[in-house]
Amino acid sequence: MAAQCVTKVELTVSCNNLLDKDIGSKSDPLCVLLMNSSENQWYEVGRTEKVQNCLCPKFSKKFIIDYYFEIVQKLKFGIYDIDNKTIDLSDDDFLGELECTLGQVVSSRKLTRPLVLKNKSPAGKGTITISAEEIKDNRVVNFEVEARKLDNKDFFGKSDPYLEFYKQTETGWQLAHRTEVHLEKHFLSLFCIGFCEKRNKPQCSYFDGSHDLIGIFETTMTRLQEASRSSPVCAEFECINSKKKQKKKGYKNSGVVSVKVCQVLCSFYFHYTFLDYIMGGCQINFTVAIDFTGSNGDPRSPQSLHYISPQGVNEYLTAIWSVGNVIQDYDSDKMFPAFGFGAQIPPSWQVSHEFPLNFNPSNPFCAGIEGVVEAYRVCLPQVKLYGPTNFSPIINHVASFANQALQQTTASQYYVLLIITDGVITDMDQTRSAIVNASRLPMSIIIVGVGGADFSAMEFLDGDDGSLRSLTGEPAMRDIVQFVPFRQFQNAPREALAKCVLAEVPGQVVEFFNTLKLTPPNSNPAPTSAETI
């Protein structure tokens, strides 16, 4: 099953306090982005521009990446001091790098980490910040600007000014575009600016071996358009340098920027997307439920589905690693509740269909996917596999937390339950009712069938044809179950299972929150109608 691209993401990179490798001047940094392929090979995605003579660069060139929720997309950002015109970076000074995943970037929206050297030495210096923004607004701005009476920053000649356009985001002002340096102070640009509702902060700076601010003015793209259309000549804005204004009496401005042309091409229609919710603060809460019924076989026998091979794997562990490695980037505390069902548990040896793997009912959470795996390994020899195979208790358990989250007024929490099982469900009627109830909650259910059993009942629960109903005939509000038999992926890469079972989750998240008209926790309300320009 091919992965479906959820959306495109724009990454903006900046650095602080870089190593200075040049003598007599500062480093001229450039950022290169590499991605890890399915064959575990790094390949280059693109490069930013070189920022001359700067140890705290803000790169204006963006990286545009196809984002897949169901895949762990590994990224590597490398910073180099460019001292020649060759494409090969091996002859340029290496200033540090960062390895991370795209999921980590989008879930934090703005990720700042220290740069490290290639040998992972702590002797690296400086930090890198990656900001992510979903590309939904594909409008392009055709811009023609002229500047006059700018403050002259040079002692021996005229300033070499350029314009930078910053847009206001939830994480602060972000560089959107930088023009070329023009001696004649006349700027022509064609670039994507983002939402017209957001404020933009154009600032005029100059370059002469360093980057110094001349002045700033704030506006919006909508106001720029209106001003340029209504004025017979152009719209004019005063560039203000706040430091100079405080020091100099009678200060008026540091120059005037005249907007002759401001045309926004194309139109867009606003709606909340999966990344709006994730980047807006929605947490994906991941819960694991493992089948400990007797049909799995004695865990000490190599024929058992719970038998852990000398390589330290079985189908249960593979499913946990495959799905969990993707989900974990979207849960900020990385604490995952893990349960078992269908076993006799100590000390009373009563059958339980909802027991924590760590045997701590008051705190069933495991630290990271590694913690879930370790809890499973420790739990396995301590329980007696029994039966029957009941799903409804664990579904209702997670649904109770999803119901609590629904009491909030924003889309702050969504729950994903992974059930790994080997057998036929024995409480089918109760499970159908539990799923129908959960379909009205912020919750999705993933079922992975291990072994060679008949899983036709699981296919029925999947409900892709919209036929799932409770015993009383109540229909599910939406399809929230995704089932796959593990045997289809036995000879496939581990990532293939996650691609399949997680492919529907983004759509389920969006469908639920849009139906209830719930907004992301850290976002402004969506416009009620589409805007066309």
Side-chain angles (χ1 to χ4, degrees):
M1 178 177 177
Q4 299 296 315
C5 176
V6 175
T7 187
K8 289 184 180 292
V9 173
E10 177 184 87
L11 302 181
T12 302
V13 180
S14 62
C15 298
N16 270 311
N17 198 29
L18 293 177
L19 282 170
D20 192 357
K21 292 284 190 175
D22 289 351
I23 300 175
S25 64
K26 297 175 182 177
S27 295
D28 305 323
L30 169 149
C31 178
V32 60
L33 172 60
L34 306 176
M35 289 191 71
N36 198 278
S37 68
S38 56
E39 292 77 28
N40 203 29
Q41 297 292 322
W42 291 103
Y43 65 93
E44 183 173 326
V45 173
R47 305 180 184 190
T48 66
E49 79 283 9
K50 177 181 73 173
V51 179
Q52 196 167 341
N53 204 25
C54 184
L55 300 182
C56 299
K58 295 178 180 179
F59 300 105
S60 66
K61 184 176 178 181
K62 318 293 183 182
F63 297 115
I64 309 298
I65 299 178
D66 288 338
Y67 164 76
Y68 301 89
F69 167 74
E70 63 271 27
I71 300 175
V72 177
Q73 294 175 267
K74 296 179 181 178
L75 308 177
K76 183 189 293 185
F77 297 86
I79 307 298
Y80 292 84
D81 175 21
I82 306 301
D83 291 321
N84 55 58
K85 295 183 179 180
T86 64
I87 297 177
D88 186 9
L89 294 173
S90 62
D91 55 357
D92 295 299
D93 290 323
F94 178 69
L95 304 181
E97 68 182 9
L98 170 70
E99 289 189 29
C100 61
T101 68
L102 186 55
Q104 289 172 331
V105 176
V106 299
S107 61
S108 61
R109 193 155 197 174
K110 188 175 184 179
L111 184 71
T112 299
R113 293 286 187 271
L115 288 165
V116 298
L117 300 179
K118 287 184 177 178
N119 59 4
K120 307 299 187 236
S121 166
K125 183 181 180 183
T127 61
I128 183 171
T129 297
I130 304 108
S131 300
E133 187 164 356
E134 183 181 8
I135 297 179
K136 296 180 295 183
D137 186 352
N138 61 355
R139 291 172 296 177
V140 174
V141 179
N142 180 25
F143 220 79
E144 183 176 345
V145 182
E146 191 174 64
R148 68 177 192 273
K149 297 183 179 179
L150 295 179
D151 286 351
N152 189 22
K153 296 288 185 175
D154 285 355
F155 292 105
F156 303 107
K158 294 182 178 180
S159 297
D160 300 332
Y162 60 90
L163 279 175
E164 289 183 331
F165 293 84
Y166 289 79
K167 58 184 175 183
Q168 191 179 46
T169 69
E170 283 77 3
T171 57
W173 290 103
Q174 184 183 107
L175 179 63
H177 180 71
R178 180 189 293 122
T179 70
E180 299 291 335
V181 173
H182 288 285
L183 290 171
E184 68 274 16
K185 301 172 186 158
H186 188 230
F187 310 94
L188 296 172
S189 291
L190 188 69
F191 62 96
C192 293
I193 192 64
F195 303 136
C196 280
E197 291 76 20
K198 293 180 180 177
R199 282 196 302 158
N200 294 281
K201 182 168 67 172
Q203 67 178 43
C204 194
S205 303
Y206 92 104
F207 174 78
D208 186 21
S210 62
H211 303 263
D212 290 327
L213 176 69
I214 295 177
I216 298 173
F217 66 92
E218 290 187 18
T219 184
T220 65
M221 292 306 301
T222 301
R223 286 174 56 192
L224 284 174
Q225 286 180 275
E226 293 171 349
S228 61
R229 283 196 297 257
S230 61
S231 174
V233 180
C234 59
E236 295 188 342
F237 297 88
E238 292 184 329
C239 290
I240 304 299
N241 188 312
S242 59
K243 291 184 179 179
K244 195 169 183 179
K245 184 177 180 180
Q246 291 175 357
K247 294 179 180 179
K248 187 177 179 180
K249 291 185 178 180
Y251 173 84
K252 290 185 177 181
N253 59 57
S254 292
V256 176
V257 171
S258 301
V259 181
K260 292 187 173 183
V261 175
C262 179
Q263 295 175 318
V264 178
L265 312 177
C266 304
S267 63
F268 81 108
Y269 295 89
F270 189 96
H271 66 282
Y272 285 121
T273 66
F274 176 70
L275 277 186
D276 279 329
Y277 291 113
I278 294 301
M279 297 167 75
C282 179
Q283 293 288 301
I284 303 293
N285 300 280
F286 181 49
T287 302
V288 179
I290 297 175
D291 183 341
F292 285 96
T293 55
S295 54
N296 282 277
D298 187 343
R300 295 169 294 182
S301 168
Q303 283 70 47
S304 171
L305 291 169
H306 278 300
Y307 176 75
I308 300 177
S309 73
Q311 292 74 35
V313 297
N314 62 25
E315 293 187 7
Y316 282 93
L317 286 171
T318 301
I320 293 170
W321 279 115
S322 177
V323 178
N325 275 337
V326 174
I327 292 284
Q328 65 180 348
D329 284 340
Y330 302 89
D331 189 317
S332 59
D333 64 9
K334 305 290 187 292
M335 298 297 291
F336 306 116
F339 297 90
F341 59 91
Q344 294 176 320
I345 62 172
S348 64
W349 301 109
Q350 293 294 310
V351 175
S352 174
H353 299 289
E354 181 197 333
F355 64 91
L357 293 188
N358 61 8
F359 300 108
N360 185 351
S362 62
N363 184 17
F365 293 89
C366 303
I369 301 305
E370 296 86 354
V372 175
V373 169
E374 181 61 22
Y376 166 72
R377 290 176 181 273
V378 173
C379 169
L380 191 57
Q382 298 187 61
V383 299
K384 295 179 181 179
L385 275 59
Y386 204 73
T389 306
N390 292 349
F391 279 12
S392 60
I394 189 64
I395 293 175
N396 289 331
H397 175 87
V398 177
S400 66
F401 289 94
N403 187 55
Q404 292 177 26
L406 194 57
Q407 310 309 312
Q408 302 182 36
T409 58
T410 61
S412 59
Q413 306 284 333
Y414 196 90
Y415 290 79
V416 175
L417 169 63
L418 170 63
I419 302 175
I420 314 173
T421 183
D422 84 309
V424 178
I425 302 174
T426 50
D427 66 338
M428 175 58 80
D429 291 343
Q430 293 88 342
T431 295
R432 286 166 56 184
S433 296
I435 292 173
V436 168
N437 173 60
S439 72
R440 290 161 172 76
L441 302 172
M443 180 174 169
S444 293
I445 302 171
I446 297 167
I447 304 174
V448 176
V450 297
D454 177 8
F455 292 122
S456 56
M458 309 290 185
E459 301 284 1
F460 171 72
L461 293 178
D462 198 316
D464 282 337
D465 59 358
S467 60
L468 184 64
R469 293 176 178 268
S470 69
L471 189 62
T472 60
E474 183 183 7
M477 188 180 83
R478 59 196 181 95
D479 174 23
I480 65 168
V481 178
Q482 175 74 353
F483 166 76
V484 296
F486 185 89
R487 55 179 174 255
Q488 292 182 357
F489 300 91
Q490 280 183 320
N491 299 317
R494 189 170 68 184
E495 297 79 8
L497 176 64
K499 286 182 185 179
C500 182
V501 299
L502 293 174
E504 295 182 7
V505 170
Q508 291 170 355
V509 171
V510 171
E511 178 188 11
F512 178 79
F513 288 135
N514 279 344
T515 299
L516 271 65
K517 296 182 172 56
L518 293 177
T519 62
N522 306 320
S523 177
N524 295 323
T528 56
S529 60
E531 174 194 9
T532 302
I533 297 176

